[in-house]
Amino acid sequence: MSDIIRPTVNYHDLKPSDWLPTSVKEMQALGWDYVDVVLFSGDAYVDHPSFAAAVIGRTLQAAGYRVAIVPQPNWRDDLRDFRKFGAPRLFFGISAGAMDSMVNHYTANRRLRSDDAYTPGGRHGMRPDYPTIVYSKILKELFPDVPLVAGGIEASLRRLSHYDYWQDRLRPSIIADAPVDLIIYGMGEKAIVEFARRLDSGEKTHEITDLRQTVMLRPASEQPEADDANIVLSSYADCLRDKRLQAANFRHIEQQSNRKDGGATLWQRTSRNQTVKVNPMYPAMSTGEIDASFDLPYTRLPHPRYRGKVIPAYEMIRHSVNLHRGCFGGCAFCTISAHQGKFIASRSKESILHEVRQITRMPDFKGYISDLGGPSANMYAMGGRDKHLCEKCLRPSCLHPSPCGNLNTDHGPLLEIYHAADNVPGVKKSFVGSGVRYDLSMHTTGDTHIDTINRRYNRELILNHVSGRLKVAPEHTSDSVLKIMRKPSFRLFHRFKELFDQVNKTGGLKQQLIPYFISSHPGCRPEDMAELAVETKNLNFHLEQVQDFTPTPMTLATEIYYTGYHPYTGEAIPTATDSRDKLAQRQFFFWYDPTYRSEIMRSLRHMGRPDLIEKLFGKHPPHRRR
């Protein structure tokens, strides 16, 4: 067992030994002749609480284990990166990184991306497709007797049968393809430490079948009959035959992922002889638990091996602070609740301010905190008033179709954080760079005290915490599309924009409101996109933050895209799946670009909407310049 490595306060004085070792030389410099755990990651090693390998490594270290990290191992050569530490005393851990590798590698049009934000210099090609599978096969072949655990977004969200957009097919649980002994899904600190302790006490991997938040393959004979504690999903083979069964499965998966107590155990037969067992999630971390994770002795810097190189993902967050985990928005296209759960785990003010003070000591800090936020910027310290009601709740969203009456939406604690952070010596201003849920901050609760605070929050946010541009995500303008997205009516965006403009005017500011929109979402028709173009034109927006819907594993929208059915209603939902149909929708974002004008007018005539031509281009549209 090892002592915790504590970095010095002065960042100029940090030594390579202040990081977890990434080479045998660094390991030996610590006086170690072995390691307990070796972690392999598809990302560069940044010793920061926003990077999973660092979090898991530091968590295990705090529990007394010697941990090494191998970032972005070379899988193409003689595999020396996989061999260099030899067999660890306890286990290997692998992760594809902070993103699903296929989202990382490919665009919505299935085109190869040219960069990778989690790699030095943004260089592409430093990880394979499906690293979870590639890394595990290599390690299992080299070290067949060493326990092997997978975690991270890729393994977590592919834990049961799932649609893979890039292969355009339904795949079984990733554990059927990756020869790992166990998957830890979701935020893995508690599960990884318990797993290490049980191995350390002499248990064998195949005996650890009851650990929360884990996935494993078990003999088909172990699959029980369905009861209150066990949900038996339709088998992978049956889902291949009938897409509606896959849709029905998703409803169970989403509901159990969002249960306050972690829910039931899920089972899914993946072959004739094997079944996948998914144990319930841990409940959301307490404030003390999440503080302990964020207060670990991170250097908050990339490993010295990257000296002189820029890691884009780190540059985005180097002067930011994450206030909480979890999201109760339940958006149809988002995976946050599937991975982090819908119940909010909030840090204490002391822990947050400790991190703010750390940032002020960074040599490149100029006085501006780039983001005081989280998965959703303004859910800090929120949750149900009556916890017993939350224990029974199966709603995937606390905000849709309207905010839950049991939800405490008081923004007062968040305002306290903003004020306290701004008062830290060295901080000139703190900004909110994460997405703000204006439907949460503008919701009228009927409680005069809370409604007054929330109105103050909106004004203070706009006046004091916008760095020129505030990003929000209405996502669409059509009520029918927004209903499927689990987003509020666009009328609420109009109200928020009016408030934003009014506060800017009275404050003498010239800030911009930057809305995000999605095309080709399930349920969206070309007519909906045409009306979106008119709506946004009338608001004087030339849209920048737009994207074509990209199906990713374990979201409601992806299940609809693949199956054609809504998992909760069974209703058939039309969806643009052909590349030409998707392009036909996307072009409406850019109605103001003469390049698209002729095609847009042709589309509008075809759908019988010449009225929208006049609204977009006037009575006498100009010809495209040649």
Side-chain angles (χ1 to χ4, degrees):
M1 304 294 179
S2 66
D3 293 329
I4 293 177
I5 307 167
R6 295 196 178 278
T8 55
V9 173
N10 190 333
Y11 286 88
H12 294 289
D13 295 337
L14 289 171
K15 307 177 295 297
S17 58
D18 292 317
W19 281 262
L20 298 170
T22 65
S23 68
V24 173
K25 183 178 179 181
E26 292 168 20
M27 178 189 77
Q28 292 171 342
L30 295 170
W32 300 353
D33 56 4
Y34 71 91
V35 291
D36 295 309
V37 179
V38 182
L39 302 176
F40 290 82
S41 173
D43 294 339
Y45 170 33
V46 180
D47 193 43
H48 187 284
S50 292
F51 290 77
V55 174
I56 296 301
R58 291 293 189 186
T59 299
L60 286 165
Q61 180 194 58
Y65 297 104
R66 296 180 175 183
V67 184
I69 293 180
V70 182
Q72 300 189 313
N74 190 336
W75 73 100
R76 299 185 180 100
D77 62 3
D78 60 3
L79 307 181
R80 67 187 68 182
D81 283 345
F82 293 90
R83 304 174 191 268
K84 62 184 178 183
F85 286 107
R89 188 175 68 87
L90 293 178
F91 64 89
F92 288 115
I94 59 172
S95 169
M99 297 173 66
D100 185 284
S101 65
M102 305 308 282
V103 179
N104 180 283
H105 278 178
Y106 300 95
T107 69
N109 292 324
R110 298 189 177 95
R111 292 176 181 168
L112 192 65
R113 296 186 191 274
S114 58
D115 57 3
D116 182 339
Y118 292 87
T119 298
R123 181 182 173 189
H124 176 80
M126 294 300 289
R127 76 187 85 211
D129 288 354
Y130 309 107
T132 306
I133 297 172
V134 174
Y135 294 169
S136 62
K137 286 182 175 179
I138 291 170
L139 286 168
K140 191 55 78 172
E141 185 172 334
L142 292 175
F143 304 98
D145 299 324
V146 177
L148 183 54
V149 182
I153 290 287
E154 183 169 273
S156 178
L157 301 184
R158 294 172 179 266
R159 59 187 182 259
L160 289 156
S161 62
H162 58 278
Y163 173 67
D164 187 290
Y165 174 66
W166 296 272
Q167 293 189 348
D168 192 24
R169 70 181 181 95
L170 192 71
R171 294 185 64 139
S173 166
I174 196 169
I175 203 170
D177 294 318
V180 299
D181 298 289
L182 204 70
I183 289 173
I184 293 177
Y185 68 94
M187 309 303 284
E189 294 106 311
K190 294 171 78 169
I192 199 77
V193 169
E194 182 63 20
F195 180 68
R197 285 177 174 156
R198 290 176 68 167
L199 285 182
D200 208 10
S201 69
E203 284 189 68
K204 303 299 181 184
T205 309
H206 69 270
E207 298 171 336
I208 304 175
T209 62
D210 60 341
L211 179 58
R212 276 184 175 252
Q213 223 160 295
T214 58
V215 183
M216 64 214 71
L217 278 176
R218 302 301 300 167
S221 59
E222 289 188 10
Q223 182 167 296
E225 295 295 320
D227 56 27
D228 290 344
N230 295 278
I231 294 176
V232 178
L233 303 173
S234 296
S235 71
Y236 172 60
D238 287 344
C239 289
L240 282 174
R241 285 193 291 269
D242 187 344
K243 290 181 177 181
R244 281 173 289 197
L245 296 177
Q246 173 67 17
N249 275 1
F250 176 80
R251 179 173 181 172
H252 290 300
I253 295 166
E254 183 177 51
Q255 288 177 335
Q256 299 309 309
S257 295
N258 287 322
R259 290 276 296 275
K260 186 171 177 60
D261 64 355
T265 300
L266 301 179
W267 302 79
Q268 185 182 35
R269 184 78 66 91
T270 195
S271 69
R272 181 178 179 183
N273 300 317
Q274 291 183 310
T275 189
V276 177
K277 181 185 182 186
V278 181
N279 286 323
M281 293 184 80
Y282 282 100
M285 281 183 163
S286 66
T287 294
E289 289 171 332
I290 194 170
D291 280 357
S293 179
F294 277 88
D295 293 347
L296 291 168
Y298 305 100
T299 65
R300 293 185 57 86
L301 296 167
H303 189 274
R305 61 167 41 209
Y306 309 122
R307 187 168 287 132
K309 298 179 180 179
V310 172
I311 300 173
Y314 171 67
E315 295 302 310
M316 291 177 63
I317 54 85
R318 65 188 302 158
H319 297 147
S320 70
V321 182
N322 187 2
L323 309 183
H324 72 271
R325 289 182 184 168
C327 179
F328 49 73
C331 297
F333 45 82
C334 182
T335 60
I336 292 172
S337 65
H339 190 70
Q340 296 188 11
K342 77 174 182 181
F343 291 94
I344 305 300
S346 296
R347 299 169 65 184
S348 68
K349 182 164 72 172
E350 292 74 21
S351 174
I352 292 166
L353 295 182
H354 173 69
E355 187 172 358
V356 170
R357 287 190 287 270
Q358 283 185 302
I359 293 173
T360 64
R361 294 195 292 269
M362 295 177 73
D364 65 334
F365 183 65
K366 306 300 182 185
Y368 300 98
I369 301 292
S370 61
D371 186 22
L372 288 175
S376 286
N378 55 322
M379 291 185 180
Y380 177 77
M382 294 184 187
R385 293 184 180 87
D386 184 338
K387 306 303 181 188
H388 295 296
L389 291 179
C390 293
E391 289 169 2
K392 302 172 184 177
C393 180
L394 292 178
R395 279 180 61 169
S397 171
C398 301
L399 295 179
H400 184 83
S402 61
C404 176
N406 187 45
L407 180 64
N408 175 15
T409 65
D410 184 358
H411 284 66
L414 186 53
L415 280 174
E416 286 184 28
I417 296 296
Y418 292 173
H419 299 160
D422 284 347
N423 285 327
V424 170
V427 175
K428 296 177 183 177
K429 202 162 190 178
S430 62
F431 297 116
V432 176
S434 309
V436 173
R437 289 297 300 244
Y438 55 83
D439 53 334
L440 182 59
S441 63
M442 296 188 71
H443 172 61
T444 301
T445 67
D447 183 313
T448 304
H449 176 68
I450 291 178
D451 289 346
T452 300
I453 289 174
N454 292 355
R455 284 194 297 271
R456 182 156 61 91
Y457 171 82
N458 283 323
R459 292 184 177 276
E460 287 197 25
L461 169 72
I462 296 166
L463 280 174
N464 303 326
H465 301 286
V466 176
S467 59
R469 313 174 98 200
L470 178 63
K471 298 175 181 177
V472 294
E475 308 295 3
H476 215 285
T477 60
S478 163
D479 281 344
S480 62
V481 178
L482 288 166
K483 181 180 178 181
I484 296 172
M485 288 180 162
R486 295 179 179 154
K487 296 287 285 187
S489 170
F490 195 65
R491 291 187 294 276
L492 191 59
F493 175 80
H494 280 275
R495 285 178 49 205
F496 185 75
K497 184 178 184 303
E498 288 171 5
L499 173 64
F500 184 85
D501 292 342
Q502 181 259 322
V503 173
N504 272 275
K505 183 177 181 180
T506 57
L509 301 172
K510 294 184 179 180
Q511 300 176 139
Q512 290 181 290
L513 190 63
I514 307 298
Y516 282 70
F517 290 96
I518 296 177
S519 60
S520 302
H521 190 276
C524 180
R525 305 162 301 160
E527 297 94 314
D528 298 314
M529 292 302 301
E531 289 171 357
L532 182 151
V534 172
E535 278 264 19
T536 54
K537 180 195 176 185
N538 291 340
L539 290 169
N540 201 29
F541 284 123
H542 282 194
L543 300 180
E544 304 172 20
Q545 302 292 335
V546 299
Q547 68 179 74
D548 194 23
F549 170 67
T550 304
T552 55
M554 205 171 283
T555 70
L556 173 69
T558 296
E559 298 300 326
I560 297 173
Y561 178 97
Y562 168 66
T563 67
Y565 299 96
H566 196 295
Y568 285 79
T569 66
E571 177 189 2
I573 305 292
T575 303
T577 58
D578 181 87
S579 59
R580 290 170 297 183
D581 293 338
K582 292 161 83 71
L583 183 61
Q585 290 201 22
R586 182 180 174 82
Q587 67 181 352
F588 284 102
F589 285 140
F590 310 108
W591 60 267
Y592 54 85
D593 185 338
T595 306
Y596 297 95
R597 186 177 299 139
S598 296
E599 187 57 41
I600 288 175
M601 290 194 297
R602 186 180 300 112
S603 296
L604 290 173
R605 290 189 188 101
H606 180 73
M607 66 178 75
R609 296 300 303 271
D611 58 310
L612 297 184
I613 295 177
E614 183 174 339
K615 289 179 180 179
L616 284 176
F617 306 116
K619 291 185 177 181
H620 304 288
H623 294 291
R624 177 183 171 185
R625 295 177 181 175
R626 297 185 179 277

